[in-house]
Amino acid sequence: MEAKSFSVWDYVVFSALFVVSCGIGIFFAIKERKKATSREFLVGGRQMSFGPVALSLTASFMSAVTVLGTPSEVYRFGASFILFFISYTFVIIFTSELFLPVFYRSGITSTYEYLQLRFNKVVRYAATVIYIVQTILYTGVVVYAPALALNQVTGFDLWGSVFATGIVCTFYCTLGGLKAVVWTDAFQMIVMIVGFLTVLIQGSAHNGGLQNVLEQASNGSRLHIVDFDVDPLRRHTLWTIAVGGTFTWLGIYGVNQSTIQRCISCKTEKHAKLALYFNLLGLWIILVCAVFSGLIMYSHFKDCDPWTSGMISAPDQLMPYFVMELFATMPGLPGLFVACAFSGTLSTVAASINALATVTFEDFVKSCFPHLSDELSTWISKGLCLLFGILCTSMAVAASLLGGVVQAALSIHGMCGGPMLGLFSLGLVFPFVNWKGALGGLITGITLSFWVAIGAFIYPAPDSKTWPLPLSTEQCFHSNMTTAAPPELSNRPTIADTWYSLSYLYYSAVGCLGCIIAGVIISFITGHQRGKDVDPLLIRPVCNLFCFWSKKYKTLCWCGVQHDRGTEQDNLANDGAWKQGAESVLQNGLQQESLTHVPGYDPKDKSHDNMALEKMTYF
């Protein structure tokens, strides 16, 4: 395949993305130079408002893998991908109402601090190490995979883009800290939307209008969205997306340090929740843009599929190939789309670097050296950002040597996310689970999710479950055409057509449920945790929603945890949902006499202020 080349204007537009991103880092480095504390650097002084945080969350959530991969997914498998709006909705609700209140009110900086408060240091360090390894690996692939796809289609320099991404992200993360990351993400989110809208407007106009695009997509079976088949081996159905997708994204979103860190940087709990819900709106917008881009791309290539005809070598090259054809006579616009794709990369990498620096500082450095000065803590935090920036860029170089293993590496995030979700769920929802159950559950969940994912990589699912919808090459130049053959299924063990053929969206569910079941069983075998020894602040009493009619049953489900000292449970019972903040909070094991006496609680706003919480500690 002959790569189409960028024009000068394309490079100008693309370079502007990096220049502005660096400029934001320099701006905050100068502006915040007098606030030299690690807390200011890592969590923005806990004074961020919900607007930029919402944009930052959306930008980081939608990496370049999404920008390039989702349209390709819709092009090949149909618009059922739009059902992910259900998963996103559940993910945001669970994050906002289940996980965030506990993390926010605990006054923690690293989510893994919670695991020490609830269990012990062993569980905390085990989870932290898993998070660091999988994030470095995933971030490296996020940098390399889109750079490779764009290089092969546009001729855009591969290693130039890889190293530019790593250097720029490391630069503004190290200089400006979390504030620079959040505001740069907000700018990059705008670039992503503008890039998508440009493709949507020009693409629909080029293919006869939106109505014609939808008609052709319908004729190509791309608009068969809702499939009620309950077969867990089917790649995408309503159930795999709604249920499996919720587990998958909740595992890499709801308990992810990158997400929670930005939420707890908000000045109040209300702002943190607003950031999540406005972020949901952003997720829907990006999802709709990506799905319609895929449908427009199908309308454009319906008679000559560039993938099966051999014009491109991988499905993730479809979108950049389409853009280069669409804007062939419009210099600058291909550069805008590449800027859109790399905005996703920059935001994801920057968030990962900042999160990695935070968990390393809080979970290791601060634990070993608790009396560091503010100035030294800030320099160590910046040094960690620099270190992880180098490691993530180096991982991108290593990803180029992995070959087919890149596909497996892309699944690492979800494979680790499920067990992590299970681990935090054990802590928040099951008061009787002890540290042995938590650690045993984590190991069990990791084993199960890696077992099914690696097995699926070695023995791909039958083509009847995963093969794309029909693609035509009737009007292609047949001299370049290659025939895509189904995967070879000979010499397959029996388990390959059942367990290993499970939809990839269920990997996290397997890890999460395996962790929870094993954790509960091990806890009862080894002697369950006594509820009276658990701080109520660390437990989310979800049983109140299901036992609202009986105080007796609610108390029984609390397993001895002293939730009845306040009025939060009465509100849960009466209203059936968690309100904006709690009516009673226990801080450091001390019962507050009234709502107005709770540190950081504003009775007018019905929200908690992080500035008061950050002065409190459990250590």
Side-chain angles (χ1 to χ4, degrees), residues 110-143:
S110 164
T111 54
Y112 305 103
E113 289 180 64
Y114 168 82
L115 296 176
Q116 180 173 346
L117 299 178
R118 176 65 178 84
F119 300 115
N120 61 15
K121 284 188 176 182
V122 176
V123 178
R124 175 183 180 177
Y125 292 153
T128 302
V129 170
I130 292 173
Y131 172 77
I132 291 174
V133 171
Q134 61 117 351
T135 302
I136 292 175
L137 177 61
Y138 177 77
T139 304
V141 175
V142 163
V143 173

Side-chain angles (χ1 to χ4, degrees), residues 13 100 103 139 203 242 285 323 337 339 495 533 547 562:
V13 172
L100 176 64
F103 292 144
T139 304
I285 292 173
V323 167
F337 173 75
I495 196 175
D533 296 332
C547 304
Q562 301 299 308

Side-chain angles (χ1 to χ4, degrees), residues 44-93:
R46 299 184 187 268
Q47 285 295 290
M48 302 293 294
S49 58
F50 69 87
V53 173
L55 291 173
S56 175
L57 286 171
T58 306
S60 298
F61 191 76
M62 296 296 180
S63 68
V65 174
T66 303
V67 175
L68 301 180
T70 300
S72 171
E73 183 77 22
V74 174
Y75 173 86
R76 297 165 62 219
F77 295 97
S80 60
F81 208 88
I82 195 69
L83 293 175
F84 270 95
F85 84 89
I86 300 175
S87 303
Y88 295 161
T89 304
F90 283 133
V91 166
I92 297 303
I93 291 174

